[in-house]
């Protein structure tokens, strides 16, 4: 990394917290505007901007999207924009898919002989 990107990864305590909060706000606004999950933005940006390892970035993204998803879903439910039956079916399938994907990733790491800390490139 070079330039200002590299400097974000080495910010001291409070400025790093401010940078992370600003990043979270930006991703939250984008996910609220466009109705997409923030994971596709959060994972690479946590790694590129803040130097966070891929595995930690993935787990952090999952935790982050719980908050943004719940907030957005609550607002849309109040507006009557949620179809409960479709939500239950898609949500249930997504939970099964997430568990299957995480299991598959662990299996591939074992087969390819990679450790969890170096990511899966």
């Amino acid at each position: 990394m070079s330039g200002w990107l590299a400097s974000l990864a080495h910010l001291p305590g409070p400025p790093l917290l401010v940078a992370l909060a600003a990043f979270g706000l930006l991703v939250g606004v984008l996910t609220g505007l466009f109705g997409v999950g923030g994971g596709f933005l959060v994972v690479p940006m946590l790694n590129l901007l803040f130097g966070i390892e891929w595995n930690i970035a993935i787990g952090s993204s999952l935790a982050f999207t719980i908050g943004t998803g719940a907030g957005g879903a609550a607002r849309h439910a109040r507006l009557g924009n949620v179809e409960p039956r479709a939500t239950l079916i898609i949500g249930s399938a997504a939970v099964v898919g997430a568990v299957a994907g995480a299991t598959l990733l662990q299996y591939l790491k074992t087969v390819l002989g990679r450790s969890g800390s170096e990511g899966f490139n």
Side-chain angles (χ1 to χ4, degrees), residues 31 37-39 42 58-74:
T31 59
V42 173
I58 291 167
S60 299
S61 170
L62 291 171
F64 173 86
T65 56
I66 289 171
T68 58

Side-chain angles (χ1 to χ4, degrees), residues 4 9 11-12 14 25 35 47 53 62 65 71-73 86 94 102 117:
W4 66 274
L11 288 173
L25 180 65
N47 182 263
E53 292 180 20
L62 291 171
T65 56
S117 63

Side-chain angles (χ1 to χ4, degrees), residues 89-113:
I89 293 169
I90 293 169
S92 299
V95 168
V96 171
V99 171
T103 303
L104 177 61
L105 179 60
Q106 287 305 114
Y107 171 76
L108 290 173
K109 285 179 183 178
T110 302
V111 169
L112 297 174

Side-chain angles (χ1 to χ4, degrees), residues 7-87:
S7 67
L8 287 178
H10 303 292
L11 288 173
L16 177 61
L17 295 178
V18 170
L20 286 169
F23 174 66
L25 180 65
L26 174 67
V27 172
V29 168
L30 291 174
T31 59
L33 278 173
F34 299 109
V36 297
F40 78 98
L41 289 172
V42 173
V43 172
M45 291 302 149
L46 284 176
N47 182 263
L48 295 174
L49 294 178
F50 299 102
I52 296 172
E53 292 180 20
W54 288 106
N55 286 346
I56 303 298
I58 291 167
S60 299
S61 170
L62 291 171
F64 173 86
T65 56
I66 289 171
T68 58
R75 174 72 176 142
H76 280 285
R78 284 192 300 273
L79 294 172
N81 297 337
V82 175
E83 167 52 49
R85 184 170 176 240
T87 302

